[in-house]
């Protein structure tokens, strides 16, 4: 009873998954840059909420880079 | 809107697990962006707060599929996904203004919760019968078993119960009322589509309904957190390793922890049902006994009770959302006591009332008292 599943999926197409996550992360970072320059209430709310998405996706990105670097070095 | 989102999350899960994983993950990413927009421009505060909570659903899948988990030992998968997820949950909790009480982070009835925890053995064995997972944590010894138990307890039991029963159920209540429990249980079930088992999907959804009801009644996620952790420990460690390495011990496990756990948890659930029935009888019995009210008190009560009922919130639900004791809320609604400014703000926010109007109604009711 855990949501950390889809193991069959996780073993194939890792590069494509990392690419999707990276594209989503770039979209959120661009969004953050756009809303930070605006003063509307909605934009401010989104600006705050973007951290919720950016932090975990940044973790995925960093861990992916680390694993790839270790693979190359190892 | 909420139900359409649930459907889209289920579709994204199915695509990820069974049809086209990249397409499914891309849909999760789009859902994440859509929910972020909704959290900023949603028409009602409660909707915007629910959108914040629902961000966790696509994030769970983006993390668990996006991270290079196969490069790590399986026991590391859970903290690898759980730590960033807990960080995101913490940000949501702060932005949505949820207190410890609203999240159920408090001790309920300890005896009841202990009895309930033991039911995790039963649920784990039942799910093992459905999924039959192979042992996947490598060679098992005492220390490794302890580590596996700790990891599963913290990163599946605590993390998932905090997200689903603590955050999402609380945030869905003002929008969906009593359907919030069904909604969150279906969402929890949808995020288990990856097991590709209809039996498991139904089982997990029913367990989520049960856990949701218990957390709602008890106002605490302690019991369900540990029951969830024990369920996963039984499912992924105890049963697979016993079956493979020590099949001679399986009957002892069934006669020991499993039988005792089942008896205790059934007893605890019976007690819960009995207490609920008693509360219903008391509430029904107290209805005709109404003190005399003057005009200002009638108006105050109408304002608060209509606000509550339009969102299908009981006093206990509102207590969870606001962090104010349910008895105090009853006293406020009946005009017996008045809230302090912070309490007034929280009540106004949850019932979507104008704080100034509510303050005027309270002042008028207390002048006439």
């Amino acid at each position: 009873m855990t949501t950390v599943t889809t193991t069959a999926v996780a073993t194939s197409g890792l590069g494509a998954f990392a690419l999707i996550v990276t594209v989503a992360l770039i979209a959120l970072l661009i969004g953050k840059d756009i809303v930070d320059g605006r003063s509307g209430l909605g934009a401010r709310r989104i600006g705050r909420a973007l951290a919720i998405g950016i932090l975990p996706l940044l973790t995925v990105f960093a861990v992916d880079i680390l694993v790839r670097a270790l693979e190359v070095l190892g | 809107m909420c139900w359409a989102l649930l459907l889209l999350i289920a579709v994204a899960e199915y695509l990820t697990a069974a049809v086209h994983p990249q397409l499914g993950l891309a849909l999760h990413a789009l859902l994440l962006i859509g929910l972020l927009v909704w959290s900023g421009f949603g028409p009602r505060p409660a909707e915007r707060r629910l959108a914040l909570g629902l961000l966790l659903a696509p994030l769970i899948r983006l993390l668990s599929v996006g991270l290079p988990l196969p490069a790590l030992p399986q026991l590391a998968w859970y903290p690898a996904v759980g730590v960033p997820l807990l960080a995101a949950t913490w940000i949501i909790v702060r932005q949505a203004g949820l207190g410890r009480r609203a999240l159920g982070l408090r001790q309920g009835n300890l005896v009841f919760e202990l009895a309930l925890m033991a039911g995790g053995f039963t649920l784990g064995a039942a799910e093992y019968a459905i999924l039959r997972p192979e042992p996947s944590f490598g060679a098992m010894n005492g220390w490794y078993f302890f580590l596996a138990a700790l990891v599963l307890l913290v990163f599946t039991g605590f993390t998932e119960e905090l997200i689903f029963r603590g955050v999402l159920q609380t945030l869905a209540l003002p929008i969906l009322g009593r359907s919030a429990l069904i909604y969150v249980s279906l969402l929890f079930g949808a995020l288990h589509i990856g097991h590709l088992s209809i039996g498991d999907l139904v089982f997990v959804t029913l367990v989520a309904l049960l856990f949701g009801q218990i957390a709602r009644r008890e106002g605490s996620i302690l019991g369900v957190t540990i029951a969830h952790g024990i369920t996963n420990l039984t499912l992924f460690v105890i049963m697979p390793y016993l079956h493979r390495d020590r099949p001679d011990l399986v009957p002892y496990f069934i006669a020991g922890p499993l039988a005792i756990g089942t008896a205790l948890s059934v007893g605890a659930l019976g007690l819960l049902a009995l207490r609920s029935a008693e509360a219903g009888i008391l509430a029904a019995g107290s209805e005709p006994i109404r003190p005399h009210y003057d005009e200002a008190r009638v108006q105050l009560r109408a304002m608060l009770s209509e606000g509550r009922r339009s969102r299908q919130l009981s006093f206990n639900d509102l207590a969870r959302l606001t962090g104010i004791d349910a008895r105090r809320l009853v006293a406020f609604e009946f005009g017996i006591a008045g809230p302090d400014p912070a309490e007034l703000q929280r009540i106004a926010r949850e019932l979507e009332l104008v704080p100034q109007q509510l303050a005027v109604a309270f002042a008028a009711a207390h002048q006439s008292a």
Side-chain angles (χ1 to χ4, degrees), chain B residues 221-241:
Chain B
I221 61 165
L222 176 69
V224 290
T225 290
I226 300 180
H228 193 149
I230 293 175
T231 300
N232 284 341
L233 185 68
T234 309
L235 169 65
F236 294 118
V237 182
I238 296 175
M239 291 304 283
Y241 281 91

Side-chain angles (χ1 to χ4, degrees), chain B residues 73-137:
Chain B
Q74 191 172 339
L75 196 56
W77 290 13
Y78 303 100
V81 175
V83 170
L85 205 54
L86 279 173
T89 308
W90 182 70
I91 301 173
I92 291 168
V93 165
R94 283 180 61 107
Q95 292 193 5
L98 298 172
R100 280 180 58 202
R101 194 186 169 95
L103 294 169
L105 294 176
R106 65 193 190 103
Q107 186 189 307
N109 181 333
L110 194 61
V111 177
F112 172 79
E113 306 234 3
L114 281 170
L116 185 75
M117 291 167 200
F121 291 113
T122 317
L123 296 175
E127 199 174 3
Y128 178 77
I130 298 169
L131 289 177
R132 292 271 169 179
E134 291 293 319
S136 50
F137 290 114

